[in-house]
Amino acid sequence: QVQLVESGGALVQAGGSLRLSCAASISISRFSAMAWYRQVPGKQREWVALINDDDRTTYADSVKGRFTISRHNANNTLYLQMNSLKPEDTGVYYCLATFNRDYWGQGTQVTVSS
């Protein structure tokens, strides 16, 4: 059973930084891709960033240049470094990993105050 556990969410002022973590219960080298999504109440879950098993990364236009996705195979963890945070970055951030099927974590709350 694959489990993903996010952490690192917090309340932060606009312009600040946070680093989110997603710890996997299996070796993340087995995942073909991992990604971060976010969701606010009343809206659809929104894709934020993706990293492939060859470490190629892609980002939503809204976070490009401010967020960095990375993976650390040795500790089976996916990261999202978020800089220059804006109030519109507020939401619950979810980790997604693909290994034969998609797996989701439970989410971690990020709140950016203006």
Side-chain angles (χ1 to χ4, degrees):
Q1 182 72 13
V2 176
Q3 292 186 324
L4 303 171
V5 179
E6 299 99 331
S7 61
L11 171 63
V12 63
Q13 287 190 332
S17 297
L18 282 176
R19 188 176 79 158
L20 305 183
S21 300
C22 172
S25 60
I26 67 170
S27 171
I28 63 172
S29 63
R30 301 177 73 177
F31 296 130
S32 58
M34 300 186 76
W36 288 98
Y37 283 72
R38 65 187 180 192
Q39 189 170 24
V40 296
K43 292 190 176 181
Q44 285 191 331
R45 197 167 291 188
E46 172 191 30
W47 168 72
V48 174
L50 171 77
I51 185 166
N52 289 311
D53 54 5
D54 59 0
D55 286 334
R56 285 179 296 131
T57 59
T58 54
Y59 298 91
D61 287 344
S62 58
V63 306
K64 202 173 294 183
R66 300 187 298 121
F67 291 10
T68 302
I69 187 172
S70 62
R71 51 195 288 170
H72 195 276
N73 288 352
N75 61 15
N76 296 321
T77 302
L78 175 74
Y79 298 101
L80 185 68
Q81 178 66 43
M82 305 187 295
N83 299 327
S84 302
L85 283 162
K86 304 175 180 180
E88 51 264 43
D89 294 319
T90 293
V92 178
Y93 282 70
Y94 297 91
C95 170
L96 166 73
T98 300
F99 172 57
N100 295 328
R101 48 159 280 195
D102 289 342
Y103 294 90
W104 291 92
Q106 84 291 344
T108 186
Q109 176 71 46
V110 172
T111 304
V112 184
S113 63
S114 57

